[in-house]
Amino acid sequence: MIRFAFVISAALAAADGQEPASRPAARAPMAILGSAWGSGSGPIGGIAVARGGSLAFLGRANGTIQRIALDGRRDVEAPMAGHVGAVLALASSPDGGRLASAGSDKRVRIWDVATGAPRAICEGHEYPVSCVAWAPGAGRLASGSGDRTIRLWDPSTGVEIAKLEGHSQIVSSLAFSPDGERLASASGDRSVRVWSPRTTRQLGRLDGHEHMVYAVRWTPDGKRLLSAGGDKKVILWDAVNLSHMRTLEGHKGLVLGLEVSSDGKRAASCDSEGTVILWDLSAGAEVRRFSRPGHSFSSVAFASDGAAILAAGADPSPAIFCIESGSDARADAGHTAAVTGLAVSRDGKSVATCAEDRRVLLWGEKSWTEERDAAGTRVHPCGGTPAPAPPPLALATSTLQAREATAVAFCNDGRTLAAACADGALRIWDLFEPAAPLRELARRSMPLRAVAIAPQGDGVASGGFDKKIALFRLESGELLRELEGHSEGIAALAYSPDGTLLASGSFDRTARLWDVRSGAESYKSENKGGQVLAVAWAPDGTAWAAAGGDRAVIARDRTGKELARYEGHTDVLSAVAYAPSGRALAAAGNDGFVYLWETSTSRLDAVFGVGGKVNELAFSPDGRYLFAATELSLVAVYDVSTFSKNR
C-alpha cells in the first residue's frame, strides 16, 4: 500500500500537546491517494535546492519551511517553524549547510539544514523582507525589503554590517556575482542595479524593463546578468559593460521567477500564468515550454542533476517538470491542490475526486489496497533518480476536464459521474468515454457547491450560491423543481435512503429537510453556532446528521427530534458520514482529525490523523475503508475494519 508521508505524521506530532485529555491517540492513515511529495497547506513563497541536491525547501504562507527529499527514498523532513507570517523567499548557503529565509515578519532567519534548528535572526528591516541571497563564501548575507533598502548581514551572528540605499520601490530580488565582488538587485522601480558589497557603492544601473523587475541572476562566469519582469520579458545583460544584449520574449504572464543552470548554458523563467520556459542563452531561443494551466508560479529552480525543473507559487504543491519529456511528475501522481470532494462507487472499486486544480481523477482500488515498499521503487520519469514519491498504483486513464468541480457523485448506473462545478453547471460524464461531458444540465447563475444522487431512479439534486436547490432528471436533463427557502448558499445535500426526503445544509446556519415529491420544506433547524457545512443520512433512513460551525454533529430523526450529539472537535466541521452498517459515524473538519463515534452510545471510538483540513468523507460500501479528502492535495485512506462493530 502507499504509506502516509511525513506531511501527515508531522502534523500529528505537532498536535500531541494540544489534544483533549479524553481523545484517544490519533491513528495514521494506511494509504494515501496522490503524492505526498511537496504536499502542504497554502501557497509557496519561495523554493531553494541545497547543494548536493538531496533536499529542497519550500517556504509556506503559514510561516513554516518544508524540507522535501528529492531522491524520493526518504520521508519528508520535519518542517522548520519560526516566522510569524508568510515565508517570502529562501536561499541555500553555498556549502548547503545553512538556509536563509525571508519573512513577512520583517526578519531574516538562518537555519541549520541538518537539524532544522535556528542559527541566527537578522532584524532591522521596517517592512516585509522580500528576498535574500548568500555571498559565495557564505561570510555575508544580503536581504531586500519593501522598505526599499538592501542590508548586509553577518549570518553567524545576525548583526547588520551595512545598508545600501538607492531604490525608490521594493527590492524584489538579489544575487551575488560568482566572485562575490558585485551584488545585483531588482526592484519595483523597474531598474536593475549593481553594487559593491565591500564599499556599498552603486556601480551601475540597468534600465530596460517597462514594469517591475521581479528577479535577477548571474551566469556562472560572472559576465552576464539576467532579469525578469512584469512586462513579460527576460532580459540578458552584459555584466562587464552594463549594457543590453538581448530580450527573450514568449511569456504571456508576469515573469516572477528566474534561475540559471549550473553550467550557465540555460535559464528557466516562470510566470503568473503557470508557465515555465527553458532558454538556450547562447542562441537566445526557447528550448522547451512547461505548463500547469490555470495556476501561477513565482519561484523556479533546477534540480541538482539537471534533469528536472522545480516551480512553485500559488499552488500548495510544487511542480517538477521533466526537461526531457515535458511532463509534470507531481501532477501525474495526483492532485496538486486541495481536494474538495470525493465519492466512492457502489461496488467499492473506484473513487472519484475533484480538487482546486480543476481536475477530476478516477482511482482504482489497487491505489489503496496493493502492497508497496514505503520507500518506493519507481524510477523517476526524468530517468536515473527515484521518483519524488510513490504515485497512485491504479490511477484511471483519464482526467476529466472539470472546470473547477467542487463536488462529485457516482450515478446509479455505475458508469456515469455527476460533478457540481464552479461555473454553475452540473455536468455528467460517461466514465468509459470521458473526453467530454456526456451532457450538461441547466447552468445556474452562481457556482455550485453540492450534488446528490437519488437512491432510486434518475433524480439528481444540486445546490450552490444562488441559494436554491435544483432537482433534475439525469437522463433527460429536465428540471423537476426548485426548492427555495435558504437565505444563503447551499453547502451540502443528501437524499434519504428511500429517496423521499432531501437534507440540506447552508451558510445561513440552518439544516433543512425537504419533501422531494412536493418540494415542501418539512423541517428547519437553526444552528446558532455557525454554518451547516455537512449532512448525511443513516443507512436505515431513521436518522440524519448535520455538522458545521458549532464543532458538533447533531443527529435527528425524520421529524427533527434530536437523537444524539457528538462532540470533541476543536474547530469547524465540514464533513460527516455514516458507516454502511449505521453503527458508526465519522466527522472531520478544520482541526485535521477524523473522529469515529459509536452511534448506539455516542462514544468516541477512534481518532484518525490527517494533518490538514478535511473537506469530505466517504466509507467504502463494505465499511472497511474510510476516505478523507484533504486540503493537502491528498486523500487519506483509513482501514476501519478493526472496529468490527462498525462494519
Side-chain angles (χ1 to χ4, degrees):
M1 65 192 71
I2 307 172
R3 297 295 179 181
F4 65 93
F6 186 83
V7 68
I8 293 177
S9 56
L12 302 188
D16 276 347
Q18 305 171 17
E19 293 186 4
S22 60
R23 182 166 70 195
R27 301 165 183 261
M30 55 156 280
I32 58 172
L33 305 186
S35 172
W37 185 86
S39 293
S41 176
I44 299 171
I47 59 175
V49 178
R51 184 177 181 180
S54 61
L55 286 177
F57 306 90
L58 308 177
R60 296 281 181 183
N62 63 5
T64 63
I65 300 167
Q66 187 177 357
R67 297 183 288 174
I68 57 176
L70 288 178
D71 60 15
R73 292 190 180 275
R74 297 185 288 116
D75 279 344
V76 177
E77 301 284 350
M80 299 181 288
H83 282 286
V84 180
V87 178
L88 302 178
L90 297 173
S92 176
S93 64
D95 63 2
R98 289 176 289 178
L99 181 76
S101 59
S104 62
D105 58 5
K106 310 175 189 178
R107 296 182 177 93
V108 175
R109 292 179 178 265
I110 314 298
W111 308 85
D112 184 292
V113 168
T115 64
R119 286 274 194 91
I121 300 176
C122 308
E123 298 182 278
H125 281 295
E126 299 173 5
Y127 282 81
V129 186
S130 49
C131 54
V132 65
W134 290 87
R140 286 190 178 188
L141 185 75
S143 62
S145 165
D147 63 13
R148 301 175 288 183
T149 69
I150 301 166
R151 302 189 188 229
L152 302 179
W153 311 89
D154 180 336
S156 299
T157 63
V159 173
E160 183 178 320
I161 299 171
K163 180 166 69 172
L164 285 62
E165 297 181 280
H167 282 294
S168 60
Q169 296 293 332
I170 181 175
V171 180
S172 51
S173 181
L174 293 168
F176 279 94
S177 62
D179 61 7
E181 292 298 314
R182 291 167 293 173
L183 175 67
S185 60
S187 170
D189 63 14
R190 307 182 185 182
S191 73
V192 174
R193 307 191 188 208
V194 181
W195 312 78
S196 168
R198 187 164 42 84
T199 66
T200 70
R201 289 179 53 247
Q202 182 176 308
L203 302 177
R205 171 174 174 154
L206 300 171
D207 292 300
H209 283 287
E210 300 169 7
H211 294 281
M212 177 173 175
V213 187
Y214 286 99
V216 63
R217 291 292 184 268
W218 297 83
T219 57
D221 59 9
K223 296 180 179 180
R224 293 171 294 174
L225 267 173
L226 286 94
S227 59
D231 54 7
K232 308 176 185 180
K233 299 175 183 177
V234 176
I235 298 180
L236 184 64
W237 308 91
D238 184 322
V240 178
N241 300 316
L242 297 181
S243 60
H244 178 276
M245 294 181 68
R246 61 164 51 102
T247 299
L248 309 178
E249 297 184 86
H251 282 285
K252 295 182 179 179
L254 310 180
V255 189
L256 305 177
L258 182 65
E259 194 57 79
V260 178
S261 63
S262 59
D263 61 9
K265 295 180 179 180
R266 293 179 171 184
S269 54
C270 63
D271 67 26
S272 58
E273 298 296 314
T275 297
V276 174
I277 297 180
L278 182 67
W279 306 93
D280 182 318
L281 294 183
S282 296
E286 179 180 321
V287 176
R288 186 150 208 160
R289 182 178 293 251
F290 313 92
S291 180
R292 184 180 280 182
H295 301 282
S296 175
F297 293 132
S298 57
S299 301
V300 66
F302 284 93
S304 59
D305 58 7
I309 296 172
L310 282 73
D315 277 359
S317 299
I320 178 165
F321 294 110
C322 172
I323 291 177
E324 181 178 347
S325 69
S327 64
D328 180 353
R330 181 61 181 79
D332 290 346
H335 287 296
T336 60
V339 183
T340 57
L342 68 85
V344 182
S345 63
R346 295 202 168 190
D347 61 7
K349 295 182 178 180
S350 301
V351 168
T353 56
C354 61
E356 291 178 359
D357 61 6
R358 304 183 183 184
R359 297 188 298 161
V360 173
L361 300 181
L362 306 176
W363 310 79
E365 62 180 330
K366 288 186 178 180
S367 296
W368 61 88
T369 60
E370 188 168 313
E371 289 290 332
R372 188 183 182 97
D373 187 341
T377 56
R378 173 176 175 261
V379 176
H380 192 292
C382 298
T385 57
L393 296 176
L395 181 64
T397 56
S398 55
T399 298
L400 307 179
Q401 300 304 308
R403 295 177 177 86
E404 296 184 71
T406 56
V408 291
F410 280 96
C411 302
N412 294 327
D413 59 10
R415 66 170 291 155
T416 51
L417 184 77
C421 300
D423 63 359
L426 181 62
R427 294 185 173 88
I428 312 299
W429 275 278
D430 185 327
L431 300 181
F432 294 92
E433 298 179 9
L438 184 64
R439 55 187 166 273
E440 181 179 301
L441 305 188
R443 186 173 300 193
R444 314 301 292 177
S445 60
M446 299 185 74
L448 294 183
R449 172 69 186 253
V451 61
I453 302 296
Q456 297 88 29
D458 70 343
V460 59
S462 67
F465 289 97
D466 66 356
K467 310 174 189 178
K468 301 175 183 178
I469 301 169
L471 304 183
F472 294 95
R473 289 194 187 278
L474 273 170
E475 189 63 34
S476 65
E478 176 190 357
L479 176 63
L480 298 175
R481 62 181 52 87
E482 291 182 339
L483 310 180
E484 298 186 60
H486 283 293
S487 60
E488 297 292 341
I490 312 301
L493 295 170
Y495 277 98
S496 62
D498 61 8
T500 61
L501 293 176
L502 181 70
S504 62
S506 170
F507 297 104
D508 66 5
R509 301 190 175 195
T510 68
R512 307 184 190 217
L513 289 182
W514 307 83
D515 184 294
V516 173
R517 182 168 297 178
S518 67
E521 180 184 303
S522 64
Y523 174 76
K524 171 184 172 182
S525 73
E526 296 282 352
N527 183 11
K528 296 180 180 180
Q531 302 165 335
V532 181
L533 303 178
V535 291
W537 281 89
D540 62 4
T542 60
W544 61 289
D550 63 358
R551 308 176 187 179
V553 181
I554 301 175
R556 296 180 173 87
D557 66 13
R558 296 170 73 100
T559 68
K561 178 184 177 182
E562 184 173 320
L563 301 175
R565 181 180 292 263
Y566 305 91
E567 298 178 305
H569 279 283
T570 59
D571 210 334
V572 173
L573 296 177
S574 51
V576 64
Y578 277 95
S581 66
R583 298 173 184 169
L585 176 73
N590 291 4
D591 64 7
F593 292 94
V594 178
Y595 280 29
L596 188 69
W597 287 280
E598 185 178 335
T599 53
S600 62
T601 63
S602 301
R603 182 177 67 88
L604 181 60
D605 212 5
V607 176
F608 301 93
V610 177
K613 178 186 174 184
V614 177
N615 293 316
E616 189 63 272
L617 290 171
F619 282 91
S620 60
D622 61 3
R624 178 175 181 180
Y625 301 111
L626 177 62
F627 301 86
T630 78
E631 67 168 3
L632 301 176
S633 75
L634 306 169
V635 174
V637 186
Y638 304 93
D639 186 342
V640 294
S641 61
T642 54
F643 306 96
S644 58
K645 57 181 172 296
N646 299 330
R647 295 186 63 186

